[in-house]
């Protein structure tokens, strides 16, 4: 599973398939492989970008099945009153008018 974190780059402290932790000079990424079924990785990132950030598997059908989480970073410091641009109100009606083919086969 290639996992991607929005809003940050992170240090890979322990890579999948390894038992060695590297705190001194880890590689920096925004996507990392989680390895096999019983494997895991260790990442670290600085929490310096407040807001909701999406961590998800980059395999589309895994994402569609829910292999994702939203991390709430500095929730009290994130404004709940940020209004989306007015143009966003037009997105759903435009999408709803698309054919199933234009939607990529999804309805």
């Amino acid at each position: 599973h290639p996992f991607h974190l929005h809003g940050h780059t992170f240090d890979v402290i322990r890579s999948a398939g390894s038992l060695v932790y590297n705190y001194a000079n880890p590689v920096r990424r925004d996507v990392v492989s989680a390895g096999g079924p019983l494997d895991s990785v260790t990442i670290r990132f600085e929490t310096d970008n407040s807001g909701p950030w999406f961590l998800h598997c980059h395999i589309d059908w895994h994402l569609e099945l829910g292999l994702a989480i939203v991390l709430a970073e500095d929730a009290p410091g994130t404004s709940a009153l940020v209004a989306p641009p007015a143009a966003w109100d037009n997105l759903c009606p435009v999408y709803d008018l698309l054919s199933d083919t234009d939607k990529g086969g999804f309805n």
Side-chain angles (χ1 to χ4, degrees):
H1 298 279
F3 275 90
H4 173 62
L5 176 60
H6 290 246
H8 296 280
T9 54
F10 51 80
D11 297 332
V12 181
I13 304 301
R14 186 175 67 82
S15 297
S18 174
L19 299 177
V20 177
Y21 289 82
N22 176 4
Y23 295 99
N25 60 349
V27 296
R28 181 155 285 214
R29 299 284 185 261
D30 67 352
V31 176
V32 66
S33 172
L38 298 177
D39 209 350
S40 62
V41 299
T42 303
I43 65 170
R44 72 176 175 196
F45 60 95
E46 191 170 343
T47 55
D48 60 354
N49 192 8
S50 65
W53 296 111
F54 200 42
L55 174 66
H56 64 94
C57 181
H58 249 229
I59 299 172
D60 284 343
W61 66 274
H62 290 177
L63 174 58
E64 186 178 321
L65 291 172
L67 193 49
I69 189 169
V70 176
L71 305 174
E73 183 175 335
D74 188 22
T78 303
S79 175
L81 301 176
V82 176
W88 284 21
D89 293 337
N90 297 324
L91 292 177
C92 289
V94 169
Y95 180 81
D96 290 340
L97 293 174
L98 294 174
S99 70
D100 287 343
T101 303
D102 289 335
K103 292 178 186 177
F106 299 106
N107 24 349

